[in-house]
C-alpha cells in the first residue's frame, strides 16, 4: 500500500531525431504560397541559367529539353518555417549538381539566386545549392507535382527551411556576392538552417547576411 497516492510521471513520446527544434511532424502536404498559382504554358516555358557563368553566356532549356536531363531521386525531409515537417519524402528531378556541371559557374561565384514565376526568388550559398540532396523536383513520392505544389519544377533543399525552395522555378542566377531574395527582404533569415532555428532576420549574426 506504500505506493498509494504516488503518480508515475507521464511518459512523453520520443522525439523523432529527424525533427529540428520547434518542429512538429505533419501528415499530408499543406498548400502554402504567396500569390496566385501560375498557368503552365509548355510552349513558352523555359529554364535559364545566367549571371556569372564560366563562359559568360546564358544557357536555357525548353520544357522537353529540361525534362530530358539526367534525373536523380533523393530522400529528404521538408521543414516549413510555420513549424511543420514532412519526414522521409522521396524527390525526383534534376540535381542542382547536374545544372552546375552542365553550366559551370565562374570560380568567383559564391551564391545563387533561384528565380520563379512572378519574380519570386530565393538566395542560397553556393555550397547549399551544390549539396547532393538539392534537387529541381518534378515528382514527390513517385507522383508528378501538382500545380499547387510547384509543377512543373520546384527547388527542394532538404537541409534548409522550405522557403529556400521556390515553386514554379524558371531560372538560376550565379552571383559573385550575396543578395537577399523575396522572403529574405521581408524579414526572414538569410541562411534558414532549421537546426539552428534561423527563422527571422533579427536573429542574424554578423556575416550571415548582406547589409540591408
Amino acid at each position: 500500500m506504500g505506493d498509494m497516492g504516488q503518480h508515475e510521471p507521464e511518459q512523453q513520446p520520443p522525439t523523432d531525431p529527424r525533427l529540428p527544434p520547434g518542429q512538429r511532424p505533419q501528415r499530408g502536404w499543406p498548400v502554402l504560397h504567396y500569390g496566385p498559382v501560375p498557368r503552365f504554358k509548355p510552349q513558352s516555358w523555359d529554364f535559364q541559367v545566367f549571371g556569372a557563368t564560366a563562359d559568360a553566356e546564358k544557357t536555357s532549356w525548353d520544357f522537353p529539353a529540361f525534362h530530358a536531363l539526367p534525373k536523380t531521386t533523393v530522400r529528404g525531409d521538408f521543414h516549413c518555417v510555420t513549424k511543420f515537417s514532412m519526414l522521409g519524402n522521396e524527390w525526383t528531378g534534376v540535381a542542382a549538381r547536374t545544372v552546375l556541371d552542365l553550366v559551370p559557374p565562374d570560380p568567383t561565384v559564391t551564391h545563387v539566386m533561384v528565380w520563379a514565376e512572378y519574380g519570386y526568388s530565393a538566395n542560397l550559398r553556393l555550397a547549399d545549392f551544390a549539396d547532393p540532396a538539392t534537387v529541381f523536383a518534378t515528382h514527390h513520392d513517385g507522383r508528378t507535382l501538382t500545380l499547387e505544389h510547384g509543377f512543373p519544377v520546384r527547388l527542394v533543399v532538404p537541409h534548409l527551411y522550405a522557403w529556400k525552395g521556390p515553386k514554379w522555378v524558371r531560372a538560376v542566377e550565379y552571383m559573385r556576392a550575396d543578395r537577399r531574395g523575396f522572403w529574405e527582404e521581408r524579414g526572414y533569415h538569410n541562411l534558414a538552417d532549421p537546426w539552428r532555428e534561423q527563422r527571422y532576420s533579427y536573429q542574424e549574426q554578423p556575416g550571415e547576411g548582406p547589409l540591408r
Side-chain angles (χ1 to χ4, degrees), residues 71-76 91-101 125-137 155-159:
K71 298 295 193 301
T72 188
T73 296
V74 301
R75 295 197 70 83
W91 307 99
T92 300
V94 178
R97 276 258 41 122
T98 297
V99 173
L100 289 166
D101 290 342
R125 294 174 294 189
L126 184 60
D128 290 319
F129 184 72
D131 187 276
T134 300
V135 61
F136 290 98
L155 183 66
V156 176
V157 189
H159 67 283

Side-chain angles (χ1 to χ4, degrees), residues 3-10:
D3 290 333
M4 292 293 290
Q6 296 183 10
H7 299 281
E8 292 292 330
E10 289 188 13

Side-chain angles (χ1 to χ4, degrees), residues 54-67:
D55 62 5
E57 298 290 335
K58 178 176 74 174
T59 297
S60 64
W61 295 275
D62 61 15
F63 184 69
F66 183 82
H67 283 267

Side-chain angles (χ1 to χ4, degrees), residues 49-59 102-107 174 176:
V49 181
F50 67 99
T53 61
D55 62 5
E57 298 290 335
K58 178 176 74 174
T59 297
L102 292 171
V103 188
D106 184 87
Y174 294 159
R176 294 186 174 94

Side-chain angles (χ1 to χ4, degrees), residues 48-181:
Q48 300 182 4
V49 181
F50 67 99
T53 61
D55 62 5
E57 298 290 335
K58 178 176 74 174
T59 297
S60 64
W61 295 275
D62 61 15
F63 184 69
F66 183 82
H67 283 267
L69 294 177
K71 298 295 193 301
T72 188
T73 296
V74 301
R75 295 197 70 83
D77 301 329
F78 183 92
H79 304 301
C80 184
V81 72
T82 60
K83 299 190 176 183
F84 76 80
S85 291
M86 295 163 45
L87 303 175
N89 305 276
E90 182 180 274
W91 307 99
T92 300
V94 178
R97 276 258 41 122
T98 297
V99 173
L100 289 166
D101 290 342
L102 292 171
V103 188
D106 184 87
T108 60
V109 167
T110 59
H111 293 77
V112 304
M113 187 74 77
V114 179
W115 292 95
E117 298 282 2
Y118 303 136
Y120 179 85
S121 61
N123 61 315
L124 292 163
R125 294 174 294 189
L126 184 60
D128 290 319
F129 184 72
D131 187 276
T134 300
V135 61
F136 290 98
T138 58
H139 292 70
H140 173 252
D141 287 346
R143 297 183 178 182
T144 302
L145 291 175
T146 63
L147 283 170
E148 291 76 13
H149 284 305
F151 177 85
V153 178
R154 73 173 298 153
L155 183 66
V156 176
V157 189
H159 67 283
L160 301 182
Y161 282 122
W163 87 76
K164 288 291 189 179
K167 303 177 183 180
W168 313 300
V169 172
R170 295 295 301 273
V172 175
E173 178 187 358
Y174 294 159
M175 305 190 299
R176 294 186 174 94
D178 197 8
R179 195 169 79 239
R180 293 180 188 270

